[in-house]
Amino acid sequence: MNRAACLIFDAQRTGLLRVAYRMLGSMADAEDIVQEAFLRWRGVDHAQVGVPAAFLRRIVTRLCLDHLKSARVQRESYIGPWLPEPAVEEDLCEDVTLPLLLALERLSPLERAAFLLHDVFGESFEEVALVLDRKEAACRQLVLRARTHVRDARPRFPVNHHQGKAIANAFFEASQNGDMAQLSALLAQDVQFHSDGGGKRPAVARILHGADEFLRAQAALARLRRAPSELVRVATINGLPGLITREPDGLLQTTALLVEDGRIRAIYVTRNPDKLRRVH
């Protein structure tokens, strides 16, 4: 493959990673998909490719669709709540926040691809139809169904950076001090708590619903804690304010907070070490 073709691919690499990560929820899998796309690009007659960016997105999307067929089987056997691999302070997480990534998990692979290509990446229905090898009318229906499922997952009023940082710091302080009153003041009554350990580290085995249930769990954890967590830094995690901490077992953990109207509506804790290899 000549240098010009390599440069074309390199110019598209970040965009292709964006597509693959949003399709799969795993940066490791996204990188594997993009590498496979590169290998396929090497075997293409580049003179016959009119729009390389569209051509490469087509390859990556189709590879992701194939991957999702096997990933769904693996996901069904996953231990405890599943969360996507955290993207920390990256351009990759600006337009698709963690709640939306979870909502995308409930879509069929074709709905997911059509929604991302059209509503997130701005592709025309004509291009979506080419990528998915479906008629335009069918792609319109896929996007409409997807929008219905994900509507409530898109943030209405994104929290500004300074407010998010202040709430994340207050959450960490209250959690470490075992101050349930302070912690309660930060929470919406219908708060949800997700904890992903993947069976490799201790984690709550189900999603907790409501402030009362979460506070009871936190009080029990405070009684059992033998050493404090260390705050590594406050960070933006999948577009949400959050924390990176080093836990008493010496391993890292990320906590992302969905904040609406000044209260925490959802807490997403990733403890599975396989998903934290890129976090520092």
Side-chain angles (χ1 to χ4, degrees), residues 132-143:
L132 300 184
D133 194 22
R134 297 289 191 278
K135 294 183 181 300
E136 284 188 46
C139 291
R140 290 179 187 275
Q141 288 302 311
L142 287 170
V143 172

Side-chain angles (χ1 to χ4, degrees), residues 15 18-20 22 57 95 115-123:
R18 290 165 68 91
V19 174
R22 284 157 176 71
R57 275 195 298 273
D95 53 5
F115 175 82
L116 287 170
L117 289 171
H118 185 270
D119 279 24
V120 174
F121 295 107
E123 297 284 3

Side-chain angles (χ1 to χ4, degrees), residues 97-118:
T97 60
L98 205 153
L100 183 53
L101 282 171
L102 287 175
L104 291 175
E105 280 294 307
R106 298 193 291 269
L107 304 179
S108 73
L110 283 174
E111 288 171 341
R112 185 171 185 158
F115 175 82
L116 287 170
L117 289 171
H118 185 270

Side-chain angles (χ1 to χ4, degrees), residues 14-244:
T14 298
L16 298 175
L17 277 171
R18 290 165 68 91
V19 174
Y21 173 71
R22 284 157 176 71
M23 283 287 291
L24 305 176
S26 164
M27 188 57 69
D29 290 339
E31 289 174 346
D32 288 344
I33 290 291
V34 171
Q35 181 60 28
E36 176 63 26
F38 175 71
L39 296 176
R40 297 194 180 197
W41 175 245
R42 291 176 61 181
V44 168
D45 182 356
H46 304 111
Q48 301 300 313
V49 179
V51 184
F55 181 84
L56 289 167
R57 275 195 298 273
R58 195 175 309 159
I59 291 176
V60 165
T61 302
R62 289 176 176 173
L63 288 170
C64 287
L65 288 171
D66 290 340
H67 182 87
L68 283 171
K69 294 174 185 176
S70 59
R72 282 190 175 273
V73 175
Q74 297 172 7
R75 198 70 49 78
E76 289 172 0
S77 61
Y78 196 82
I79 298 174
W82 179 92
L83 292 173
E85 181 181 330
V88 180
E89 292 179 344
E90 297 281 354
D91 290 340
L92 287 169
C93 61
E94 286 182 350
D95 53 5
V96 180
T97 60
L98 205 153
L100 183 53
L101 282 171
L102 287 175
L104 291 175
E105 280 294 307
R106 298 193 291 269
L107 304 179
S108 73
L110 283 174
E111 288 171 341
R112 185 171 185 158
F115 175 82
L116 287 170
L117 289 171
H118 185 270
D119 279 24
V120 174
F121 295 107
E123 297 284 3
S124 68
F125 279 114
E126 179 182 9
E127 176 60 27
V128 175
L130 285 172
V131 173
L132 300 184
D133 194 22
R134 297 289 191 278
K135 294 183 181 300
E136 284 188 46
C139 291
R140 290 179 187 275
Q141 288 302 311
L142 287 170
V143 172
L144 286 173
R145 287 202 300 270
R147 286 174 183 164
T148 300
H149 287 294
V150 307
R151 186 180 296 124
D152 293 338
R154 308 201 84 162
R156 294 171 297 169
F157 307 106
V159 63
N160 69 60
H161 176 74
H162 295 295
Q163 183 188 20
K165 182 177 180 179
I167 290 174
N169 275 313
F171 178 84
F172 176 77
E173 181 181 344
S175 299
Q176 291 304 298
N177 295 338
D179 188 337
M180 295 302 115
Q182 182 185 358
L183 195 56
S184 178
L186 296 170
L187 305 175
Q189 280 303 304
D190 59 350
V191 66
Q192 290 189 355
F193 176 76
H194 305 242
S195 182
D196 179 347
K200 300 189 176 184
R201 289 174 75 190
V204 179
R206 62 180 179 83
I207 298 172
L208 302 182
H209 296 272
D212 290 343
E213 186 172 35
F214 172 71
L215 289 169
R216 285 196 298 271
Q218 280 296 110
L221 180 62
R223 290 192 296 269
L224 294 173
R225 185 182 291 120
R226 296 182 179 179
S229 302
E230 174 193 348
L231 178 62
V232 176
R233 62 189 171 104
V234 175
T236 299
I237 300 170
N238 291 97
L240 302 179
L243 309 160
I244 300 173

